[in-house]
Amino acid sequence: MPEITGYHAHVYFDADTQDTAQQVCEEAARVFPTVQMGRMHARNVGPHPRWSCQLGFPADAFDQVFPWLILNRQGLTIFTHPETGDHLTDHRDRAIWMGEMLELDLSIFD
């Protein structure tokens, strides 16, 4: 079984929800010192079908961070996946969605 070294939670937003997404991401990073907040991408990046901000956190923080995101996502869609080194499988088969399930552009992993 592969080892999960961490998680990425991608908070999706658009022009109308960008401020809300920034607040959610900044608050997650404030509440959990182990959460690393990435940039607010006002364009599609990587396999992501919407604008997004990545929250990275270690595997041992999942039981704290994930429930917090469930309760504080403010209606935003959040795509969470483990980090095992197998990017395609992590994004395609091991993902957890909060909100709308969207189609990723998995061709970047070919």
Side-chain angles (χ1 to χ4, degrees):
M1 182 160 107
E3 178 185 357
I4 296 174
T5 59
Y7 290 89
H8 289 165
H10 301 273
V11 179
Y12 291 149
F13 60 91
D14 58 23
D16 294 332
T17 58
Q18 185 168 1
D19 290 341
T20 302
Q22 185 159 352
Q23 290 170 359
V24 169
C25 292
E26 287 175 352
E27 184 69 4
R30 187 189 69 73
V31 170
F32 303 102
T34 60
V35 168
Q36 298 295 311
M37 179 181 163
R39 290 182 289 158
M40 300 288 296
H41 292 284
R43 62 183 176 85
N44 295 1
V45 174
H48 305 289
R50 291 200 181 143
W51 301 357
S52 64
C53 178
Q54 176 180 288
L55 300 173
F57 52 97
D60 64 0
F62 182 87
D63 65 334
Q64 297 294 312
V65 176
F66 195 76
W68 187 91
L69 289 171
I70 291 169
L71 296 174
N72 293 281
R73 68 184 181 92
Q74 298 190 43
L76 298 169
T77 296
I78 301 178
F79 168 74
T80 306
H81 65 84
E83 284 291 299
T84 69
D86 184 345
H87 301 297
L88 175 60
T89 303
D90 290 345
H91 285 77
R92 183 190 61 207
D93 302 330
R94 299 176 177 147
I96 303 168
W97 289 91
M98 289 179 238
E100 183 182 5
M101 290 180 68
L102 303 169
E103 188 172 339
L104 301 175
D105 178 7
L106 299 174
S107 68
I108 70 159
F109 300 120
D110 290 340

